[in-house]
Amino acid sequence: MRSVLNKQFHTHISYSSCKCISTLAAIEAPSIYSVENDETSPTFSSTSNFVIDYRRSRNYTIKSTKILHAHLLKTSKLQTDIFVANNLLDRYCKWGSMEEAVKLFDKMPEPTVTSWNTLISGFNYKKLFESSCLWFSKMWISGFEPDEISYRNVLAACVAMQSISFGKQVYSVTMKNGLNSNGYVRTGMIDLFAKCCAFWDALRVFYDVSSCENVVCWNGIISAAVRNEENWIALDLFVQMGKQFLMPNSFTFSSVLTACAALKELEIGKEVQGWIIKCGAVDVFVGTALIDFYVKSGDMDEAVNVFSWMPTRNVVSWTAIISGFVQKDDYINALKFFKEMRYMNLEVNNYTATAVISACAKLNMIEEATQIHSWIIKSGFCMDSVIQVALVNMYSKIGVIGMAEIVFKEMESIRSSADTLAVLISSFAQKQSSQYVIELLRRMLKEGVRPDRFCTSSVFSVLECLKLGRQMHCYTLKTGLIFDLSVETSLFTMYSKCGSLEESLKVFQSMPVHDNISWASMIAGFTEHGYAERAVQMFKDMQSEDKPDQMTLSATLSACSSLSCLRKGKEIHGYAIRAGLGNEAVICSTLITVYSKCKALQLARKGLCTSKQIRHWESTACTCHKSGLRFRSFCWKFTCYDVF
């Protein structure tokens, strides 16, 4: 949004300044230091043109600016010509030499509002935002009346610092001076409130003026609504904008399409697309927004159609369509479009490379993954930490842990962020590579990076050493991560896996809230350690707190199978039917195991027929054969019966 404002803002400035700029051709830099042989000094007009030509030449440096400064001091025109002084001040600010700029400003006998604006803008350019606010306050105290440029500059500094209190003070001054209706001032204030998570204040600022005809201001409030996830309000504002017969531009359409994508409103998005075509606003910016909208809406055919009729495509639009195919798990088309992009010699950035790496993270794509890795090295992306994490993920998912380890070792010279290391830990945890998980954890702690809840849960999932697990338990208590439900669940699962069922039960009982995952994990833990009766009792206790799902029912049925208790198995089966879960494939498969172990072969066969996924019959054949039922007769006598 800021780029839109800056673009139009600078256009406004250049237009007003062009009225007094000479059309003389730019002279070479060396000539501006030459002194005429005659002793006559330049006139007022020639001095102004002299400075203008210097600015146009674009051959200036900080050294040459100081030489020009000395020349102007010698001619005594710096104190009498405010136009020349402001131009010289602007040169110092553009070079970032704010000390010299302040010195020049202090020696100006009568600085104007333009002088103040130039200095404040220079501080913004150097990202010295506190100084910008300080000098704006000095300007106000000195009795100068700020104009719209002054307010826009100081509000931009407030946005950068997220100083909402000072921004409100500035806006109150604009209301007092009657400049709050100015589109640039209001847009700056809307931008400040939106980025400080005060959207309703931004909306109030927008409605301070009964009728707004500034498209930039409409873009600001619509973009603010989308940024704060008030997408329906963004669409409502877009409708109001149309009722006032204002012509939306590319930035308006982009924000509205983002709102439609977040709301999954495919039909509204298509109507917006029709309006785009009618207005002739089809450019690369809007086209990319349309592709992103259709990708997030799950309609890749329309995304491809939009991509095909785009007159111009850039790396962002290519990356959007490739990422869309990756999200749809269509790696063939993702690689096809990437190949076409490479064939056209288009720029490829790290986002494109990351998307292509994700497309190759399939078990049967080892050759493609190797080729992409080679291309990454050749293209120079191999030193990017995000690319390296994606490569580790890719090799982990396709099962080539050796290459994942090689890439990981190459990353050791890079100080990674918490997110980067967390992704690496998750990748190695999926393949049960406990050695590298522990090594990464030590690296995180050594670098002062705090593991988050996802990272901690991944570490607990691979720990098999009770001593190390207890140390991690102490760490979670110290950092407060123990209060996260997923961390607590992974913690007592770790204790159960390490054989310390008592500590596992203590952690479970200390949890203020239990979910189905924690109940199922605890029931499974009791069953695995030979306490099947306790597991069934825990299932009964669960019913007073939560409603069991198929996962907890399956874990309880496994306990019944360990007990070889037909009666309890039938009770759980009946509960599953009443809960509407009797036909779930996971439960049916566990029921067959229970009935087979209890020698209830007819019930086992009926349980298999009840399942809607017949493909499970192969995995059940071995169990039935061990129970004395011949497999062949079991297969062709399939008949659907009631369970009881």
Side-chain angles (χ1 to χ4, degrees), residues 501-544:
L501 199 59
E502 291 182 2
E503 291 180 281
S504 177
L505 184 59
K506 285 181 181 179
V507 174
F508 179 82
Q509 291 175 342
S510 66
M511 293 170 62
V513 180
H514 303 97
D515 61 357
N516 284 324
I517 297 176
S518 58
W519 282 105
S521 300
M522 201 66 225
I523 292 171
F526 276 119
T527 304
E528 290 174 3
H529 289 83
Y531 296 96
E533 292 184 0
R534 187 69 181 274
V536 175
Q537 181 60 42
M538 181 159 283
F539 173 75
K540 294 179 181 179
D541 297 338
M542 175 189 179
Q543 296 178 56
S544 61

Side-chain angles (χ1 to χ4, degrees), residues 391-401 404 427-428 430-431:
L391 286 171
V392 172
N393 248 333
M394 177 187 71
Y395 283 123
S396 299
K397 288 181 178 179
I398 64 179
V400 187
I401 297 298
S427 300
F428 284 118
Q430 290 175 11
K431 294 299 179 180

Side-chain angles (χ1 to χ4, degrees), residues 596 601-602 604-605 621-635:
S596 300
L601 303 182
Q602 292 297 325
R605 182 168 64 180
C622 183
T623 303
C624 295
H625 180 71
K626 290 179 180 179
S627 300
L629 183 65
R630 296 185 63 185
F631 179 67
R632 182 171 295 178
S633 61
F634 178 77
C635 292

Side-chain angles (χ1 to χ4, degrees), residues 140-195:
W140 176 258
I141 295 172
S142 300
F144 285 87
E145 191 72 26
D147 60 7
E148 63 181 51
I149 301 174
S150 312
Y151 290 120
R152 186 69 186 94
N153 284 335
V154 71
L155 286 174
C158 292
V159 170
M161 295 189 301
Q162 293 195 347
S163 176
I164 196 169
S165 58
F166 190 78
K168 287 181 177 180
Q169 295 176 24
V170 172
Y171 190 66
S172 65
V173 174
T174 65
M175 295 180 68
K176 181 180 179 181
N177 296 340
L179 280 174
N180 61 312
S181 60
N182 181 274
Y184 296 109
V185 175
R186 290 172 64 210
T187 303
M189 202 64 207
I190 289 170
D191 193 33
L192 172 62
F193 280 130
K195 291 183 178 178

Side-chain angles (χ1 to χ4, degrees), residues 204 433 454 585-586:
R204 180 177 55 81
S433 302
F454 302 106
V586 175

